[in-house]
Amino acid sequence: MNYSEKVMEHFNNPRNVGEIVDADGVGIVGNKKCGDIMKMYLKIRNNVIEDAKFKTFGCGAAIATSSMATELIKGKKISEALKITNKTVMEALDGLPPVKVHCSCLAEQAVHAALFDYAQKNNLEIKGLKVPKDTKEENCCAEEDGNNCSCSN
Amino acid sequence: MNEKEIIYFDNAATTRLDDEVLKEMLPYLKDYYGNPSSIYKLAQKNKNAIERARQDIADIFNCRASEIYFTSGGTESDNWAIKSIAEAYKSKGKHIITSEIEHHAVLNSCKYLESQGFRVSYLKVDKNGLIDENELKKNICDDTILVSIMFANNEIGTIQDIKKLAEIAHEKNILFHTDTVQAVGYIKIDLKDLGVDAMSISAHKFYGPKGIGALYLNKKIKVLSYLHGGAQEFSKRAGTENVAGIVGMAKALELAYNNLEKNNLYVKDLRDKIIDGVLNNISHVKLNGDREKRLANNINFSFEFIEGESLLLMLDAKNIFASSGSACTSGSLDPSHVLLAIGLPHELAHGSLRITLGKHNTQKEIDYFLNVLPDIVKKLRDMSPLYEEYLSKK
């Protein structure tokens, strides 16, 4: 696989792997059938993401995008974190091979799903946050073309 | 293990060219450059080399030299055999039988024929990848003209009883093709005994060069031209011959056959050490394919809770080169069709690792691999939400 050095660096030394036991929001996206699942844990205080951790079952790109997404959202306000898209994650990793674009989509979705969980638990409405897309098996494996995430729209 | 050393565990993908084979080929790449179809001495030397190679190969497989056609490799041989038999015999019928676990060269040739009005039955296999002869019998129709079943599977190494399957086809006057790309080099093939009508081989799987293969077509069957042009290959496959490749393939085959028992014993011992070592030391691992009816060099595991590409990348970082049936490595969204055909759930197919050994592998390499693998699997499992889920349920 023709991965950038950044992708390989994050794959070999992933940041923020693990669980947050008392997480304020937890999101899980993807499924076994497609071969990638991301679980994102967030610790949130005063609308700021204080900590983020992940667990990922998936390919090199899935692990690297999870790692990069957690790095990008840590310390950010929720409103700022929501601006981080799959493209932001990809650019931060110096790009992904076309067949791996969907991994960056999953990373974006995982962040959104965890924030949605936080909002629901706290009865909040977060502007710009959509209900997470159902990534159960029958809905999965949508093929993304180019840099677009057909799965997240 | 020295950092710079590499451990090549992907011999089903291709093999390292033998020094002896290269030596045999070099003059034909350099000094003997004449076109074999020309009449002067420089050319005739090449023509003779081709025909000598053809005879040597025919002697090894116990067939006639005129039944061996040189091709560019396994894929071309499969395409030629299947499409030209279908075309030549379509007045007799338009039904073909193959299996779900064939190489894509066979499967996609069959898919093409379906688009041309042929019907194709894809035989199911059991959990180890074996074809039941009754399944073949059941699928034979009045208009079946061809059965194509691979000798040994490239992913899980399962070896079929081709002689028996060919007999069943012949009882109904149906032609039989077999793809022996993975088998040659590990299994002695005597065509008089095996009884197939067509057989595909590829040189780079047995330490020969890439870009050269052969198709055996029994004299009794109608052979249609595959490439139209000059009179090469009995006017059936036009184009100036790959002389160095042909000479190299004949040499590689000779070496493979002369050392077959010795190499088999050696590789099988290493194979069993890996299988036992992994099954005994890592939990939640499954060996895919049949334990006994299996190529001496093939190992295929599924590791629960982890994904194959990640595993390959971590092995790559240790200079260990292997392959996987995960979707991420297949270039499509689905994992290996072979692993799905033997009934593996998707997540186990995604978590597969194929190791295919060769005569150059050593005990030291096996020890090193068995030493580093448990930590890699652990690292990926510690990262996996599936493993976390499993532990929480336990």
Side-chain angles (χ1 to χ4, degrees):
Chain A
M1 192 53 69
N2 198 9
Y3 286 134
S4 70
E5 278 178 30
K6 265 249 177 82
V7 171
M8 286 313 294
E9 204 274 311
H10 272 263
F11 171 74
N12 288 317
N13 309 290
R15 281 57 147 184
N16 311 311
V17 175
E19 299 162 53
I20 299 175
V21 185
D22 57 345
D24 299 305
V26 179
I28 183 156
V29 294
N31 64 67
K32 291 182 199 173
K33 195 177 171 218
C34 305
D36 30 36
I37 301 176
M38 277 184 204
K39 193 169 182 182
M40 189 78 68
Y41 302 83
L42 302 178
K43 192 79 199 146
I44 297 169
R45 194 178 295 171
N46 300 329
N47 275 329
V48 172
I49 298 172
E50 286 201 325
D51 198 9
K53 287 205 184 298
F54 78 91
K55 284 213 170 171
T56 291
F57 159 78
C59 61
I63 289 169
T65 54
S66 309
S67 167
M68 183 52 89
T70 52
E71 281 289 272
L72 289 171
I73 60 170
K74 263 169 79 168
K76 292 260 181 3
K77 283 185 188 160
I78 290 173
S79 55
E80 287 168 353
L82 280 172
K83 287 182 198 147
I84 291 164
T85 66
N86 79 300
K87 278 186 192 160
T88 325
V89 175
M90 271 204 292
E91 279 161 18
L93 287 168
D94 294 338
L96 284 175
V99 292
K100 300 293 187 180
V101 171
H102 81 110
C103 295
S104 65
C105 300
L106 273 185
E108 177 191 317
Q109 288 159 18
V111 173
H112 285 214
L115 286 171
F116 190 82
D117 180 53
Y118 166 73
Q120 284 219 307
K121 279 179 183 159
N122 294 283
N123 236 337
L124 298 170
E125 195 160 324
I126 299 174
K127 208 180 146 203
L129 184 64
K130 286 179 227 150
V131 183
K133 187 184 141 62
D134 185 358
T135 47
K136 287 203 189 73
E137 293 189 4
E138 57 270 25
N139 298 328
C140 94
C141 303
E143 222 164 334
E144 288 85 25
D145 58 291
N147 292 329
N148 295 317
C149 264
S150 63
C151 45
S152 67
N153 300 323
Chain B
M1 189 64 51
N2 185 319
E3 286 279 307
K4 287 191 183 121
E5 283 176 44
I6 62 157
I7 301 181
Y8 185 72
F9 279 170
D10 205 12
N11 286 277
T14 193
T15 55
R16 188 166 106 196
L17 188 72
D18 255 335
D19 290 342
E20 264 189 88
V21 174
L22 176 65
K23 209 176 124 199
E24 198 84 3
M25 291 170 71
L26 280 175
Y28 296 93
L29 289 165
K30 207 165 170 257
D31 301 329
Y32 312 148
Y33 53 83
N35 188 320
S37 298
S38 302
I39 60 158
Y40 37 78
K41 285 199 277 297
L42 183 69
Q44 283 311 301
K45 188 174 176 56
N46 288 352
K47 182 78 188 154
N48 293 340
I50 292 171
E51 294 318 315
R52 199 168 51 245
R54 200 190 307 278
Q55 188 61 56
D56 289 348
I57 292 169
D59 289 345
I60 283 174
F61 290 130
N62 195 14
C63 66
R64 295 184 220 183
S66 57
E67 293 172 316
I68 297 289
Y69 299 84
F70 293 118
T71 68
S72 62
T75 291
E76 185 187 323
S77 296
D78 286 340
N79 271 265
W80 185 2
I82 292 167
K83 291 179 195 168
S84 87
I85 288 172
E87 178 66 25
Y89 290 86
K90 68 181 178 192
S91 61
K92 202 183 149 218
K94 294 189 103 176
H95 180 239
I96 293 164
I97 299 174
T98 184
S99 84
E100 284 187 341
I101 62 164
E102 297 300 309
H103 189 274
H104 281 115
V106 168
L107 286 179
N108 288 341
S109 292
C110 287
K111 292 258 177 319
Y112 164 76
L113 288 172
E114 282 182 291
S115 78
Q116 301 300 304
F118 287 83
R119 286 164 21 255
V120 181
S121 300
Y122 300 88
L123 299 182
K124 295 200 180 311
V125 293
D126 71 9
K127 65 179 186 355
N128 289 338
L130 288 164
I131 287 165
D132 178 357
E133 56 186 77
N134 291 318
E135 271 298 299
L136 173 59
K137 284 179 189 161
K138 268 192 270 174
N139 277 278
I140 291 174
C141 303
D142 291 340
D143 64 338
T144 307
I145 51 171
L146 173 68
V147 176
S148 176
I149 305 285
M150 74 200 317
F151 203 114
N153 186 268
N154 50 317
E155 293 190 42
I156 55 173
T158 305
I159 299 166
Q160 310 292 343
D161 187 351
I162 293 298
K163 187 179 176 181
K164 180 76 206 163
L165 297 172
E167 269 171 26
I168 292 167
H170 287 160
E171 278 165 22
K172 304 277 182 187
N173 283 321
I174 298 164
L175 295 174
F176 197 99
H177 164 254
T178 185
D179 175 336
T180 58
V181 166
Q182 296 292 338
V184 174
Y186 291 96
I187 297 163
K188 277 213 157 120
I189 290 167
D190 178 327
L191 281 163
K192 290 263 157 22
D193 177 58
L194 192 64
V196 299
D197 305 291
M199 176 175 98
S200 305
I201 75 167
S202 171
H204 73 106
K205 309 291 188 183
F206 48 87
Y207 312 100
K210 294 168 182 63
I212 186 74
L215 175 63
Y216 157 79
L217 286 169
N218 188 295
K219 261 277 162 279
K220 71 173 196 232
I221 70 174
K222 267 189 278 178
V223 182
L224 299 184
S225 293
Y226 190 62
L227 290 178
H228 303 274
Q232 295 90 350
E233 297 305 297
F234 315 111
S235 297
K236 300 299 182 193
R237 200 270 189 190
T240 300
E241 299 89 338
N242 174 359
V243 187
I246 290 168
V247 168
M249 175 162 67
K251 185 67 187 174
L253 190 63
E254 177 201 317
L255 292 173
Y257 266 61
N258 288 345
N259 300 298
L260 194 130
E261 279 92 3
K262 191 184 82 184
N263 284 342
N264 258 353
L265 282 175
Y266 175 72
V267 167
K268 203 174 174 184
D269 177 55
L270 297 180
R271 178 196 76 179
D272 292 341
K273 278 179 176 146
I274 291 187
I275 292 177
D276 295 336
V278 168
L279 294 180
N280 292 334
N281 292 306
I282 300 178
S283 64
H284 304 285
V285 185
K286 178 188 181 304
L287 177 72
N288 298 316
D290 197 274
R291 187 73 177 84
E292 302 303 324
K293 291 174 186 167
R294 166 177 220 112
L295 283 175
N297 73 330
N298 175 287
I299 302 159
N300 191 311
F301 293 119
S302 278
F303 293 88
E304 281 186 61
F305 319 120
I306 63 178
E307 194 277 334
E309 190 204 272
S310 291
L311 186 54
L312 293 188
L313 290 172
M314 289 203 174
L315 288 170
D316 185 27
K318 303 268 183 203
N319 275 346
I320 299 170
F321 307 148
S323 92
S324 169
S326 127
C328 286
T329 58
S330 71
S332 77
L333 293 161
D334 284 318
S336 144
H337 66 285
V338 176
L339 297 179
L340 294 180
I342 60 170
L344 284 196
H346 275 69
E347 66 268 31
L348 278 185
H350 285 301
S352 73
L353 174 69
R354 181 185 74 172
I355 296 161
T356 44
L357 302 170
K359 62 182 179 180
H360 301 302
N361 290 123
T362 63
Q363 179 63 48
K364 204 175 133 201
E365 292 176 341
I366 306 306
D367 293 341
Y368 179 72
F369 170 73
L370 289 174
N371 191 34
V372 301
L373 185 68
D375 284 346
I376 291 175
V377 171
K378 184 178 182 307
K379 188 178 174 189
L380 288 169
R381 282 183 177 164
D382 285 345
M383 229 188 272
S384 167
L386 293 176
Y387 191 53
E388 180 190 303
E389 186 188 314
Y390 164 78
L391 290 178
S392 71
K393 279 182 187 159
K394 210 165 107 176

